[in-house]
């Protein structure tokens, strides 16, 4: 451990991992906050429980009605909020790092809407299973990413141009999604519209298991690409001089970022703005030189879990979590646009 440079170095044989000490502390504090929020979410509901009852159910000592409430009813939703929030945080961190722009967000750039379009086609046309929805969302997100990249390409791709083109593509896809819902049967349309707001209502262990497995693999791939991503933040030429295959790494990161967003969208609908806010909050807490993945993942998990808790209990009837994230993220987006405009003056 190097306290002088505040770097934690973990070595095992030929493998060495360097972690900034402040990032480790921030992630540890966020873990405590996540655990406390998760216990609160498991306690609260129409049938209130004590912390002791929740812990007994989680450890298997309570297997009756209390265990059914905690393990089968409430825990899948909490687990989904944590896993999906972490995925969105990492996805936003990837795009903000690649484009070096705090406005780079899969939702703003149209990738979430493209994933929603793909999943919506599967729901309305073939009435597909969850696995088919994941495939449709992935294809929709990838197709949108390719379209945005091609339309924004002018002797290279600049981050700001990519964002502007993405906003236009997102608006077009949103209109397409509205048209698909209006043309669908009433029952399908109501279900798709509610799901499209971004909701964790009705999330089952099956969805958590499939989505969690996909997200775990994608997070591991993102972690493997995190070092060349940090080198690319210095510029493509500087990264290439250090042996980074810039084009291959950029393509891999884009695929991972879109796949993370698509997996979450297939399970819960588009939960917007977490991928915009989480990397920036994590960056400010950890005070790193650039956007880092781990703080963004922990902040994303906490934001999604806290937003879902508010969605369940802030109104007389439960709300989709996407409504809460829109309110919180929209305010942050306005603040971010204001500060960016003042900085450029």
């Amino acid at each position: 451990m190097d306290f002088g440079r505040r770097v934690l170095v973990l070595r095992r044989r030929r493998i060495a991992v360097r972690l900034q000490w402040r990032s480790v502390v921030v992630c540890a504090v966020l873990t405590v906050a996540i655990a406390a929020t998760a216990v609160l979410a498991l306690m609260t509901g129409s049938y209130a429980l004590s912390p002791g009852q929740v812990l007994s159910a989680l450890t298997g000592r309570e297997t009756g009605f209390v265990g059914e409430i905690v393990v089968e009813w409430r825990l899948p939703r909490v687990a989904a909020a944590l896993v999906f929030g972490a995925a969105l945080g990492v996805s936003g961190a990837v795009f903000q790092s690649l484009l070096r722009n705090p406005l780079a967000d899969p939702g703003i750039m149209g990738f979430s809407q493209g994933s929603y379009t793909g999943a919506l086609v599967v729901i309305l046309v073939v009435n597909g299973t969850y696995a088919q929805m994941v495939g449709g969302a992935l294809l929709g997100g990838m197709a949108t990413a390719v379209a945005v990249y091609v339309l924004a390409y002018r002797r290279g791709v600049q981050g700001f141009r990519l964002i502007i083109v993405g906003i236009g593509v997102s608006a077009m896809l949103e209109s397409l999604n509205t048209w698909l819902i209006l043309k669908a049967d009433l029952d399908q349309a109501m279900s798709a519209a509610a799901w499209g707001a971004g909701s964790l209502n009705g999330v089952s262990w099956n969805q958590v298991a499939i989505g969690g497995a996909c997200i775990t693999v994608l997070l591991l791939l993102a972690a493997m690409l995190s070092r060349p991503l940090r080198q690319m933040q210095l510029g493509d030429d500087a990264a290439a001089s250090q042996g980074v295959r810039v084009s291959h790494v950029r393509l891999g990161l884009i695929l991972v970022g879109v796949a993370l967003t698509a997996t979450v969208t297939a399970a819960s609908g588009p939960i917007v703005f977490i991928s915009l806010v989480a990397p920036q909050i994590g960056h400010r807490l950890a005070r790193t030189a650039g956007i880092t993945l781990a703080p963004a993942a922990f902040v994303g998990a906490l934001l999604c879990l806290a937003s879902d808790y508010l969605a369940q209990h802030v109104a007389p009837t439960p709300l989709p979590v996407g409504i809460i994230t829109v309110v919180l993220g929209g305010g942050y987006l306005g603040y971010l646009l204001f500060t960016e405009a003042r900085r450029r003056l």
Side-chain angles (χ1 to χ4, degrees):
M1 184 183 302
D2 188 345
F3 287 101
R5 290 180 294 174
R6 297 180 182 178
V7 174
L8 179 65
V9 182
L10 304 177
R11 289 188 177 90
R12 184 174 178 84
R13 296 180 181 178
R14 297 183 179 180
I15 300 176
V17 179
R18 298 169 60 88
L19 303 173
Q20 289 195 4
W21 180 245
R22 185 180 177 89
S23 295
V24 174
V25 173
V26 166
C27 291
V29 173
L30 289 171
T31 300
V32 174
I34 288 170
T37 308
V39 172
L40 179 62
L42 294 173
M43 289 169 49
T44 311
S46 56
Y47 190 91
L49 301 173
S50 67
Q53 288 176 306
V54 170
L55 294 178
S56 296
L58 292 176
T59 55
R61 295 196 302 268
E62 181 68 64
T63 58
F65 183 58
V66 171
E68 181 79 11
I69 291 175
V70 173
V71 177
E72 298 298 331
W73 296 358
R74 296 178 183 174
L75 188 57
R77 185 165 186 154
V78 170
L82 293 177
V83 174
F84 296 163
L88 292 173
V90 170
S91 178
V94 165
F95 286 110
Q96 290 181 16
S97 297
L98 278 178
L99 301 180
R100 306 184 192 97
N101 194 312
L103 293 176
D105 169 61
I108 293 177
M109 297 169 65
F111 302 153
S112 295
Q113 291 296 333
S115 300
Y116 179 38
T117 302
L120 197 60
V121 170
V122 173
I123 293 174
L124 299 179
V125 177
V126 300
N127 195 23
T129 63
Y130 172 63
Q132 291 173 326
M133 287 173 57
V134 172
L138 185 60
L139 290 176
M142 294 298 179
T144 304
V146 171
V148 171
Y149 188 89
V150 170
L151 291 173
Y153 189 87
R154 294 292 185 276
R155 298 179 181 176
V157 175
Q158 295 181 358
F160 187 73
R161 184 189 296 130
L162 200 69
I163 293 172
I164 295 299
V165 172
I167 292 174
V169 172
S170 177
M172 294 174 61
L173 289 173
E174 189 170 355
S175 299
L176 175 61
N177 295 338
T178 302
W179 179 81
L180 289 173
I181 292 175
L182 291 175
K183 290 294 183 179
D185 295 335
L186 181 60
D187 292 339
Q188 287 183 320
M190 292 179 63
S191 176
W195 173 77
S199 177
L200 297 177
N201 295 330
V203 172
S204 65
W205 276 120
N206 181 54
Q207 292 171 304
V208 174
I210 297 176
C214 295
I215 288 170
T216 299
V217 173
L218 293 169
L219 291 180
L220 290 175
L221 292 174
M224 293 172 59
L225 295 171
S226 61
R227 183 175 179 179
L229 175 61
R230 289 194 301 270
Q231 293 171 315
M232 289 170 60
Q233 290 176 358
L234 302 175
D236 291 353
D237 293 337
S241 67
Q242 298 178 32
V244 177
R245 303 176 69 179
V246 174
S247 59
H248 293 79
V249 172
R250 180 180 288 111
L251 177 60
L253 286 167
I254 290 174
L255 292 176
V256 169
V258 173
L260 285 169
T261 300
T263 304
V264 176
T265 302
S268 60
I271 302 177
V272 296
F273 284 121
I274 287 181
S275 51
L276 172 72
V277 177
Q280 293 299 312
I281 295 178
H283 172 58
R284 284 165 172 76
L285 290 176
R287 296 181 184 176
T288 52
I291 302 294
T292 49
L293 302 185
F298 280 86
V299 172
L302 179 59
L303 283 177
C304 191
L305 181 59
S307 298
D308 187 57
Y309 178 82
L310 292 175
Q312 293 183 74
H313 305 292
V314 74
T317 57
L319 300 173
V321 64
I323 293 179
I324 303 298
T325 60
V326 163
V327 173
L328 299 178
Y332 176 79
L333 178 60
Y335 163 78
L336 189 61
L337 291 172
F338 177 74
T339 54
E340 285 291 309
R342 289 192 60 183
R343 192 182 70 175
R344 294 175 182 272
L345 291 177

